[in-house]
């Protein structure tokens, strides 16, 4: 999904490219398609790549806003500013922030999903559960390694639930 979204701003000016599809094992059409794009759009290649990278940079900025907001919610305004500074100058974020790939979108959507899940644990509602599920689905569309999130969420929900005796024995006033 992240690569497809990054390609959307390129569509109006992209040249026609023959896909040259082959069903043989190990065939990777993206290398040939990339060469065709570089050859057919040689004058517009750099502006097209810049458009795609702007979409990639959006994910890093979205994650930065989420880091700031979540940290400010937990530790106050200065905690949010510190978390934002740490996120913004972290070498991996600087390296992958403008690359059209699945890592930064997965980080941003995974962060949003985890934030939504912690809010859901504090105030469980159907809308909260639906939002967590939607964000988890978007995260899985970004990168399959986020499949670890449901496992972590189940463990966290089991850890955060009230003890069994509190559910069976009514509170004595």
């Amino acid at each position: 999904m992240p690569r497809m979204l990054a390609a959307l701003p390129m569509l109006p000016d992209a040249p026609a490219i023959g896909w040259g599809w082959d069903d043989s094992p190990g065939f990777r059409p993206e290398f040939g398609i990339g060469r065709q794009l570089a050859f057919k759009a040689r004058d517009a290649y750099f502006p097209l790549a810049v458009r795609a990278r702007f979409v990639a940079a959006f994910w890093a900025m979205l994650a930065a806003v989420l880091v700031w907001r979540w940290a400010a919610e937990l530790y106050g305004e200065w905690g949010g500013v510190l978390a934002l500074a740490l996120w913004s100058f972290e070498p991996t974020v600087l390296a992958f922030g403008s690359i059209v790939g699945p890592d930064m979108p997965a980080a941003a959507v995974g962060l949003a999903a985890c934030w939504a899940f912690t809010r859901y644990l504090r105030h469980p509602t159907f809308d909260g559960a639906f939002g967590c599920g939607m964000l988890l689905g978007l995260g899985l569309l970004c990168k399959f390694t986020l499949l670890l999130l449901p496992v972590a969420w189940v463990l966290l929900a089991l850890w955060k639930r009230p003890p069994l005796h509190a559910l069976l024995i009514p509170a004595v006033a």
Side-chain angles (χ1 to χ4, degrees), residues 45-105:
Y45 189 75
F46 183 74
L48 289 174
V50 168
R51 287 186 205 168
R53 286 187 173 219
F54 274 131
V55 175
F58 162 78
W59 293 107
M61 290 186 286
L62 175 65
V65 169
L66 289 169
V67 164
W68 168 75
R69 183 71 183 110
W70 195 359
E73 186 178 290
L74 292 174
Y75 304 110
E77 204 60 38
W78 283 108
V81 170
L82 177 62
L84 177 62
L86 290 172
W87 172 266
S88 298
F89 295 108
E90 203 278 323
T92 308
V93 173
L94 292 173
F96 287 98
S98 65
I99 292 177
V100 179
D103 297 319
M104 194 55 64

Side-chain angles (χ1 to χ4, degrees), residues 11-38:
L11 287 179
D13 298 327
I17 295 175
W19 292 97
W21 193 259
D22 185 4
D23 287 335
S24 62
F27 177 69
R28 302 285 306 264
E30 63 268 20
F31 299 118
I33 292 169
R35 279 191 292 276
Q36 284 184 48
L37 178 64

Side-chain angles (χ1 to χ4, degrees), residues 1-3 96 101-107 109 136-149:
M1 178 188 76
R3 290 182 180 109
F96 287 98
D103 297 319
M104 194 55 64
V109 177
L136 178 63
L138 286 174
L140 290 173
L141 285 174
C142 289
K143 194 165 183 173
F144 196 65
T145 54
L146 289 182
L147 192 58
L148 295 173
L149 278 183

